[in-house]
Amino acid sequence: MTLSLEAMNTLRRRREKIIQNISPEKLAALHAKGMLSARERVNILFLDGSFQELGMHAHHNAVSFGMAGRELPTDGVITGTGYVGNMQVAAFSQDFQVLAGTMGKMQARKIVRLMRHALRVGVPMVAFKDSGGARIQEGVDALSGYGDVFYYNVMLSGVVPQIAVVLGPCAGGAAYSPALMDFVIMARHNAYMFLTGPEVIKAVTGRTTTMDEVGSAEMHASVSGNVHFIAEDDQHAIALVKNLLSYLPPNNTEDPPHDLSVPIDEMVDQDIKALIPGDSSEPLNMHAVIQRLVDRGELLEVHAGFARNVIVGFARISGAVVGIVANNPMVMAGALDMDAADKIARFVRTCNVFNIPLVTLVDVPGFLPGVEEERGGIIRHGAKMLHAFASATVPKLTVILRKSYGGSYLAMCSQEMRADMVYAWPSAEIAVMGAEAAVKILYRKEIKEAADGKAKAAELTQQYRDEFASPYAAASNFYITDVIDPADTRWTLALALRKTLGKRELRPGKKHGNMPL
Ligand code: HXC
């Protein structure tokens, strides 16, 4: 049987109607705001010709509130698979032009079908969010749809990377889906995300607020920590997705895309020493150190604006993908507070589930002392770091650059957290606490009774420093693998990484550890 010309025309007409559902004027208006249409987002993400749409003709069955027969192309979401580089990726893109991209039963079914594909085949999920939330006309069907999506977000968690890209509204319970994913990218100007917006907050609490205060990308990237990356516009958001994917494996059973054909040259970098300040009370520029240690100086910093006293991100060292965790002495002297602990713990767990080795760079004076910190639960938050590092079975390399005191010594992946290698620079100070504080406690009486208390304190401080606050006390007890010349750090790490990539560590079987949350 041959197909009639009419049948083929019908197919073409139906497809065109669905694909071209936005007028040139509306499209131009979106572009003027730095936005793209839902379909453009998908097309730009994927390699030309690799996108295959799922459920293009799916349609809602709602009848209440004037919905009967109302045409909603794609039911407000484009779903499908394509290639980003040579990796298959599943993506959906909510279409704000179709009833504000709202989610009803069919939209949820389409998304869930795609998530099941990602789970079965083991490929990353990318979700472009641009929606007015639950489709009010579909009532509990819409809520149930969200519930199914959340359930699959959890099923996919730790199996395939999930990246949410918030490019428009993401309000109410809808915001839980990005929160359940591994990374959230959010557009600086056209997106907002909150559980309850200004109007509800005013009605319930009486407090006047703004969309920016409770839901902007800037707020989430710097205050709440809900957002990992800010994008300047939609194009930038998609570029960030591609960059992020270039560090990730398609799923938890595969390695990240290491390029082990890159040779390890015994590169000695004498200039790195110039970054170590002469006075240990002066802050070290950790970003500059990282830049010298990683390939092409490229660090994809995650959570760059949140808890800036620590730095986390992806990089490569002689071709091996690594997760970098570091203190940032330029902010709060690099001390660890609640947000920093959350940021590190989360990143360590993300690296661990996706088999990404961890490189930890330490220059930390301790956990931040303070009433708010104690009352806020710094014990619980700090414990997350211990839990995350101790639980991580990926290769773990630690370099102690300068200060490494007390609990923070352990929390920054010391040997006791089962770091595979712990290197220390000669400038490292490893002790229960800093010299000044220790001397004040140990020698309070002697200093008080001395003719020149200040001079006595200075003498004792130096003595303490020489004796304890060097790497050699720790190294002589074999808590340190080696004390290295800072100039040798890059190739030392590169070589050690190659030697630990094959690491296999068996742990006792259990449902899961009980991380202090
Ligand atoms: C059904 C909706 C809708 C919704 C918008 N529309 N939101 N239809 N359910 N949630 C419809 C509008 O009626 C309109 O239809 C079309 O989409 C475009 O909306 P406009 O308001 O004209 O657009 P705009 O001015 O750009 O404003 C967009 C908006 C606003 C900011 C998203 O519509 C809005 O505030 N909507 C409500 C958002 C909200 O409160 N959602 C529920 C969140 S709670 P017509 O027919 O005129 O084209 C939630 C619970 C989830 O989602 C729970 C999960 C656990």
Side-chain angles (χ1 to χ4, degrees):
M1 190 183 101
T2 54
L3 276 174
S4 71
L5 191 60
E6 195 189 336
M8 291 312 296
N9 281 338
T10 304
L11 174 62
R12 186 177 46 76
R13 267 199 309 275
R14 278 180 171 265
R15 277 197 177 147
E16 270 173 12
K17 197 168 167 195
I18 291 167
I19 289 171
Q20 282 154 12
N21 75 327
I22 182 166
S23 69
E25 295 75 29
K26 273 193 177 165
L27 193 58
L30 283 183
H31 290 175
K33 289 199 284 181
M35 297 178 87
L36 297 164
S37 72
R39 199 163 283 279
E40 284 175 322
R41 289 167 184 162
V42 171
N43 288 343
I44 293 172
L45 174 68
F46 290 131
L47 277 178
D48 275 353
S50 71
F51 179 59
Q52 288 182 294
E53 191 161 346
L54 312 179
M56 172 192 257
H57 305 281
H59 203 268
H60 71 88
N61 296 315
V63 289
S64 306
F65 302 102
M67 288 292 282
R70 185 162 180 183
E71 278 194 37
L72 299 178
T74 69
D75 205 43
V77 70
I78 297 161
T79 54
T81 56
Y83 281 91
V84 175
N86 56 11
M87 181 155 70
Q88 187 198 158
V89 172
F92 71 83
S93 180
Q94 288 179 314
D95 190 345
F96 196 81
Q97 303 306 315
V98 181
L99 206 62
T102 48
M103 189 186 289
K105 189 175 173 179
M106 185 55 78
Q107 177 171 132
R109 275 187 60 202
K110 286 180 70 179
I111 293 173
V112 163
R113 181 73 65 88
L114 183 73
M115 293 172 95
R116 278 168 46 197
H117 172 82
L119 187 62
R120 286 185 190 137
V121 181
V123 298
M125 255 321 289
V126 173
F128 292 108
K129 302 272 180 177
D130 191 355
S131 163
R135 189 175 294 158
I136 296 162
Q137 298 90 326
E138 296 201 30
V140 72
D141 279 343
L143 293 184
S144 169
Y146 268 109
D148 282 340
V149 172
F150 298 166
Y151 177 82
Y152 273 95
N153 279 136
V154 177
M155 291 304 102
L156 266 62
S157 180
V159 181
V160 298
Q162 298 185 84
I163 303 172
V165 193
V166 182
L167 300 175
C170 188
Y176 283 123
S177 186
L180 288 167
M181 299 175 85
D182 299 297
F183 301 99
V184 182
I185 297 168
M186 188 165 171
R188 186 185 293 283
H189 300 296
N190 303 307
Y192 56 85
M193 183 164 69
F194 45 66
L195 282 191
T196 54
E199 281 171 33
V200 177
I201 291 173
K202 175 79 182 166
V204 175
T205 70
R207 181 172 162 179
T208 305
T209 183
T210 62
M211 218 66 137
D212 279 353
E213 193 180 17
V214 297
S216 68
E218 182 62 41
M219 188 288 284
H220 284 306
S222 59
V223 181
S224 75
N226 287 324
V227 163
H228 301 87
F229 303 94
I230 292 189
E232 296 309 321
D233 57 21
D234 286 16
Q235 294 271 7
H236 183 212
I238 296 167
L240 278 168
V241 172
K242 292 183 186 179
N243 196 6
L244 191 48
L245 287 170
S246 76
Y247 292 98
L248 301 173
N251 61 63
N252 65 331
T253 66
E254 295 188 39
D255 280 335
H258 300 304
D259 181 1
L260 301 184
S261 66
V262 176
I264 296 171
D265 53 45
E266 293 207 358
M267 195 194 80
V268 175
D269 178 13
Q270 295 295 352
D271 293 344
I272 200 168
K273 290 179 193 158
L275 295 172
I276 309 170
D279 182 341
S280 75
S281 63
E282 275 176 41
L284 168 139
N285 184 346
M286 190 64 88
H287 278 105
V289 170
I290 295 169
Q291 212 172 28
R292 300 198 76 88
L293 296 180
V294 302
D295 296 357
R296 294 177 298 280
E298 283 171 11
L299 171 74
L300 175 60
E301 195 169 343
V302 178
H303 260 151
F306 175 67
R308 291 176 47 248
N309 40 332
V310 293
I311 301 165
V312 301
F314 298 109
R316 288 183 176 80
I317 297 180
S318 288
V321 173
V322 292
I324 302 271
V325 177
N327 306 106
N328 180 11
M330 306 286 251
V331 177
M332 291 164 49
L336 297 168
D337 62 353
M338 293 182 281
D339 284 349
D342 283 4
K343 172 169 159 176
I344 288 181
R346 168 79 174 168
F347 183 73
V348 167
R349 283 164 67 87
T350 302
C351 287
N352 192 47
V353 288
F354 295 122
N355 310 315
I356 298 173
L358 288 159
V359 171
T360 306
L361 305 172
V362 186
D363 184 3
V364 60
F367 280 94
L368 184 72
V371 175
E372 285 74 27
E373 287 293 308
E374 295 298 339
R375 290 175 65 88
I378 182 70
I379 298 174
R380 175 167 55 86
H381 289 277
K384 293 180 199 180
M385 290 177 65
L386 294 165
H387 202 284
F389 272 124
S391 306
T393 54
V394 287
K396 297 184 280 196
L397 309 182
T398 300
V399 186
I400 302 174
L401 283 62
R402 300 202 305 170
K403 300 182 184 80
S404 186
Y405 298 152
S408 59
Y409 157 71
L410 301 171
M412 289 299 290
C413 202
S414 65
Q415 196 184 74
E416 294 69 23
M417 295 305 110
R418 299 304 182 266
D420 297 285
M421 308 287 168
V422 180
Y423 300 106
W425 285 2
S427 47
E429 296 180 14
I430 305 163
V432 172
M433 61 178 72
E436 286 81 3
V439 162
K440 268 187 204 148
I441 294 171
L442 287 176
Y443 302 109
R444 186 179 304 154
K445 238 166 123 192
E446 285 87 335
I447 294 168
K448 207 173 163 195
E449 285 165 6
D452 184 347
K454 243 183 167 177
K456 185 73 185 165
E459 178 202 323
L460 291 167
T461 302
Q462 193 51 48
Q463 201 179 318
Y464 177 94
R465 221 175 238 133
D466 293 343
E467 215 163 309
F468 292 112
S470 81
Y472 297 106
S476 66
N477 285 306
F478 200 18
Y479 297 128
I480 299 292
T481 313
D482 200 1
V483 181
I484 58 169
D485 182 339
D488 295 335
T489 311
R490 185 177 143 79
W491 73 262
T492 302
L493 287 174
L495 206 53
L497 269 169
R498 293 283 170 103
K499 291 174 181 169
T500 46
L501 279 182
K503 177 183 175 187
R504 295 286 175 265
E505 196 175 313
L506 293 177
R507 297 287 175 97
K510 53 185 165 184
K511 272 191 187 170
H512 56 75
N514 200 1
M515 178 176 233
L517 294 174

